[in-house]
Amino acid sequence: MASMDNVCDIIIFGGHGDLSFRKLIPALYHLSNDGYLSLESRIIIVTRQHLSDEEHEALVRTKLEEFLGEGAFVESKFQRFLSQLYMATVDFDNEESYAGLKSLLDLYPERDRVNYLSTAPDFFATICKMLKTRNLISPQSRVVLEKPIGRDLVSSRAINVEVLKYFEERQIYRIDHYLGKDTVQNIMALRFSNRFFMPLWDANNIDHVQITVSESVGVEGRWGYYDEYGAMRDMIQNHLMQLLCLIAMEPPCSLEADSVRDEKVKVLRSLRPMSPADIEKKTVRAQYAAGSIDGQPVPGYREGTGMAESTTETFAAVRVDIDNWRWNGVPFYLRSGKRMSKRNSEIVIQFKTIPYSIFANKGSCISQNKLVISLQPKESIQLKLMNKIPGLSDQMRLQQVELELNSPINEARKPEAYERLLLDVIRSNPTLFMRLDEVEAAWKWADVILQGWADNVVPMKKYPAGSDGPSASIQLVVQDGVNWNGE
């Protein structure tokens, strides 16, 4: 068992929502049963539903059995976890309805409080205001904001300004669950603890970088939400941009939160702004049309309820350039899409070719070295190198081999990203969370592209569900002499 962390109260607003049942409550179940969360800590599920304690217990049991995974639900562990669970019924914009929550929290006024806002962003300011009005915010309180924080710089800034009226910046944790993945955190370990990589990590040695997040699933009942955001806002502006920052940032002076985040902000501020001509040449947007996945027919995006006239992209690809000494001339290719041929999230660091090959391939290089960091469906790190093909041939022939750089896992179960992030909030460690200037710098860059798309600088393309995306995304990289990894 791990050592217990601080006793605290964790309040989940939107506690009966999809994210809470799929990710947050299972993560807290594991943290508690693995010994990272004291049994004295309370988990308060805030919901607008009126349920009895028995109904609430039955609902939580059903959802844990569904989302924990095969064999993970254990009755004795559930009973142990159940002793920490409480429920409060709150109508977010009705001050009087916070009375029950206040009664619970006032039992231990000195405790640290983690307020997790697993709600639509429209409620962020309202909930924070009500917590302040009810005198439920202390210097030890923290608030976690789920994405999306706005649809653009203006709306994002409006939300943050409101939240900052009630919480200080040091108390605000803007979450990006990709940063909780062990392999993502390992990027810094690879870069800054290995002499082998340090001198190679620049424009002299790296040809280009690819960051791909493809999903085989579609919108799955989130039509209203997704159509407001699309692939650029939902994925590229936050998840993929955070991955880019970890790959491109300079070494921080320490692992303290602001040291790391200072370097990430420098990357975001170095992104080359795009002109309308750049947007036309360096970006692709598309919607999936009818197709098939695993032999099953899949309807197109516009066949969803109320989507017939939608102009929201389900696929986006962008070439990003970073104007600084380390990365000048190195393109970063970002792409993300739904209803793709497979679920795959990876970062590919493609190194430049050797100047000349002396081996049996007529002077040309057989293959470039590459570092492939896979995040989904399986986390792994592979370094692809050239090696001699065994045998007695009169010519030395080469083949690409893969060097696995994965850490051995001694734990019976690999922790999920939300476990790491929730534990960091409990520990008051904001390193893996976005600071306000990070959020604003990312939106400032993305807004230019989004405006260009709104002006139809780049026409909407189509791609069949179950494919690798539109042909325009292939052309995006081919015009630079590059192919997407694995295609």
Side-chain angles (χ1 to χ4, degrees):
M1 296 285 284
S3 60
M4 294 289 185
D5 276 272
N6 293 337
V7 176
C8 64
D9 284 338
I10 301 165
I11 307 103
I12 304 178
F13 291 87
H16 282 177
D18 185 65
L19 175 67
S20 178
F21 282 135
R22 283 180 179 271
K23 297 296 184 181
L24 303 183
I25 295 177
L28 291 167
Y29 172 92
H30 285 306
L31 288 176
S32 176
N33 284 295
D34 290 347
Y36 289 102
L37 183 63
S38 168
L39 276 176
E40 296 178 46
S41 293
R42 298 183 300 173
I43 301 163
I44 302 172
I45 307 299
V46 177
T47 174
R48 287 182 284 186
Q49 289 182 287
H50 290 272
L51 298 177
S52 67
D53 290 341
E54 292 75 17
E55 290 172 325
H56 182 245
E57 176 184 333
L59 179 61
V60 172
R61 176 193 293 273
T62 299
K63 295 298 184 179
L64 281 175
E65 288 176 337
E66 180 180 357
F67 294 120
L68 277 177
E70 188 175 351
F73 183 90
V74 178
E75 182 63 33
S76 60
K77 291 183 177 181
F78 175 69
Q79 292 299 325
R80 182 178 185 271
F81 181 63
L82 199 60
S83 68
Q84 298 179 263
L85 279 185
Y86 296 78
M87 184 183 67
T89 303
V90 174
D91 183 0
F92 296 151
D93 54 7
N94 181 349
E95 181 184 337
E96 295 303 317
S97 72
Y98 285 74
L101 176 62
K102 180 174 174 59
S103 296
L104 276 173
L105 293 177
D106 283 350
L107 292 173
Y108 302 100
E110 75 289 346
R111 278 191 183 177
D112 284 15
R113 293 171 184 167
V114 174
N115 298 282
Y116 200 115
L117 306 193
S118 179
T119 69
D122 293 346
F123 291 114
F124 290 176
T126 299
I127 294 171
C128 293
K129 179 181 179 180
M130 293 298 180
L131 290 174
K132 182 68 174 180
T133 302
R134 281 292 191 168
N135 197 28
L136 295 175
I137 300 176
S138 69
Q140 291 76 40
S141 293
R142 299 180 280 288
V143 62
V144 183
L145 305 183
E146 264 290 344
K147 79 170 187 73
I149 304 177
R151 296 185 72 255
D152 50 26
L153 178 59
V154 172
S155 58
S156 174
R157 185 171 285 165
I159 292 170
N160 280 296
V161 164
E162 286 299 311
V163 173
L164 282 163
K165 290 179 180 178
Y166 312 107
F167 290 90
E168 298 177 20
E169 176 65 24
R170 65 173 180 82
Q171 297 174 291
I172 301 173
Y173 290 70
R174 301 173 187 87
I175 198 167
D176 185 325
H177 73 269
Y178 268 58
L179 297 184
K181 296 178 180 291
D182 267 333
T183 304
V184 172
Q185 296 169 58
N186 206 14
I187 293 171
M188 287 202 294
L190 279 173
R191 288 194 56 192
F192 304 134
S193 67
N194 293 291
R195 183 77 185 186
F196 175 78
F197 286 118
M198 289 173 63
L200 301 179
W201 214 266
D202 59 23
N204 293 322
N205 298 285
I206 292 177
D207 183 79
H208 68 273
V209 177
Q210 300 179 19
I211 304 177
T212 296
V213 177
S214 66
E215 300 174 279
S216 59
V217 297
V219 179
E220 314 300 352
R222 298 162 67 233
W223 299 99
Y225 158 77
Y226 192 84
D227 204 58
E228 283 289 308
Y229 292 90
M232 174 62 79
R233 293 182 175 94
D234 189 47
M235 297 298 295
I236 290 183
Q237 181 273 336
N238 43 73
H239 294 326
L240 276 72
M241 198 53 62
Q242 286 293 310
L243 298 178
L244 180 147
C245 286
L246 291 174
I247 294 296
M249 72 185 201
E250 295 298 314
C253 61
S254 73
L255 287 178
E256 291 186 1
D258 281 334
S259 293
V260 173
R261 297 191 291 186
D262 284 346
E263 299 305 330
K264 288 163 66 181
V265 169
K266 290 177 185 177
V267 174
L268 292 169
R269 290 175 176 168
S270 299
L271 300 181
R272 184 183 301 170
M274 290 200 188
S275 66
D278 289 329
I279 295 172
E280 184 178 12
K281 182 180 179 182
K282 297 180 180 180
T283 73
V284 175
R285 61 176 179 143
Q287 287 180 338
Y288 66 82
S292 65
I293 295 178
D294 296 329
Q296 299 298 316
V298 174
Y301 179 74
R302 290 196 180 186
E303 295 176 50
T305 305
M307 296 295 108
E309 304 298 324
S310 174
T311 58
T312 299
E313 77 285 351
T314 62
F315 176 97
V318 183
R319 170 183 164 150
V320 181
D321 293 278
I322 301 175
D323 289 334
N324 62 23
W325 280 28
R326 184 182 292 271
W327 297 111
N328 185 52
V330 178
F332 285 69
Y333 301 104
L334 279 55
R335 65 172 173 170
S336 180
K338 290 191 174 294
R339 288 298 188 201
M340 305 285 278
S341 61
K342 59 185 177 181
R343 179 175 180 240
N344 179 45
S345 298
E346 67 178 14
I347 303 166
V348 179
I349 315 298
Q350 183 78 63
F351 292 93
K352 291 184 175 179
T353 60
I354 57 175
Y356 177 80
S357 176
I358 62 174
F359 301 99
N361 54 331
K362 301 180 180 179
S364 64
C365 184
I366 295 175
S367 180
Q368 297 168 303
N369 303 135
K370 63 178 71 173
L371 180 67
V372 180
I373 302 168
S374 298
L375 310 176
Q376 290 176 335
K378 180 182 177 182
E379 294 188 51
S380 68
I381 300 175
Q382 295 178 333
L383 181 60
K384 300 195 176 187
L385 306 170
M386 300 308 296
N387 194 29
K388 179 185 179 296
I389 298 175
L392 301 177
S393 171
D394 60 346
Q395 293 182 320
M396 188 180 292
R397 295 178 299 139
L398 306 182
Q399 65 181 352
Q400 190 178 72
V401 296
E402 298 172 351
L403 178 62
E404 298 281 351
L405 302 180
N406 307 320
S407 301
I409 299 175
N410 298 321
E411 300 177 1
R413 181 189 61 82
K414 187 171 184 178
E416 294 284 339
Y418 274 98
E419 293 174 53
R420 157 59 57 189
L421 296 172
L422 281 165
L423 191 54
D424 278 358
V425 180
I426 292 167
R427 292 169 170 170
S428 297
N429 179 5
T431 304
L432 298 178
F433 297 82
M434 290 177 286
R435 202 169 60 191
L436 179 60
D437 50 357
E438 278 186 76
V439 175
E440 293 197 348
W443 272 125
K444 185 176 180 181
W445 174 82
D447 274 358
V448 176
I449 298 173
L450 289 166
Q451 185 58 54
W453 289 356
D455 295 339
N456 208 33
V457 170
V458 177
M460 183 73 73
K461 306 293 186 182
K462 299 287 185 183
Y463 63 99
S467 69
D468 291 322
S471 59
S473 74
I474 299 173
Q475 181 59 35
L476 174 73
V477 296
V478 166
Q479 67 188 356
D480 296 334
V482 172
N483 291 309
W484 289 110
N485 186 52
E487 295 180 17

